[in-house]
């Protein structure tokens, strides 16, 4: 599994890891991201830093539990990540 993902990364620049993140979590991430973006955009504009910040969202870990759930889900992939980065990442 590690070798095929690594080969795909080297050949295509990306790889697919089926089952790593559930559809339910993807849906929650999309919903939480939309909300986080809207809330963050209002803060950017209020602070006068809205120019050239369109499409950015910051401090996601504090905005919806799905972002923390994503980190937990990604732990299943630690072996590959450590292999790819050559150690702890």
């Amino acid at each position: 599994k590690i070798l095929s993902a690594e080969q795909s990364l080297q050949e295509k620049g990306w790889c697919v890891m089926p089952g790593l993140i559930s559809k339910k979590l993807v849906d929650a991430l999309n919903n939480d991201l939309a909300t986080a973006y809207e809330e963050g955009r209002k803060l950017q504009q209020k602070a006068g830093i809205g120019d050239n910040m369109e499409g950015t969202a910051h401090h996601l870990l504090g905005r919806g539990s799905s972002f923390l759930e994503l980190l937990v889900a990604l732990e299943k992939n630690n072996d590959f990540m450590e292999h790819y980065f050559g150690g702890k990442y």
Side-chain angles (χ1 to χ4, degrees), residues 9-20:
L9 276 174
Q10 291 197 10
E11 291 174 3
K12 302 175 187 175
W14 57 272
C15 66
V16 175
M17 297 189 165
L20 184 62

Side-chain angles (χ1 to χ4, degrees), residues 36-67:
Y37 175 75
E38 289 172 20
E39 292 172 357
R41 186 73 184 136
K42 288 176 189 173
L43 291 172
Q44 290 169 350
Q45 291 171 326
K46 184 177 178 181
I49 58 170
D51 292 346
N52 299 317
M53 297 292 284
E54 297 88 356
T56 64
H58 300 94
H59 310 287
L60 295 178
L61 292 179
R63 299 180 177 262
S65 64
S66 68
F67 301 115

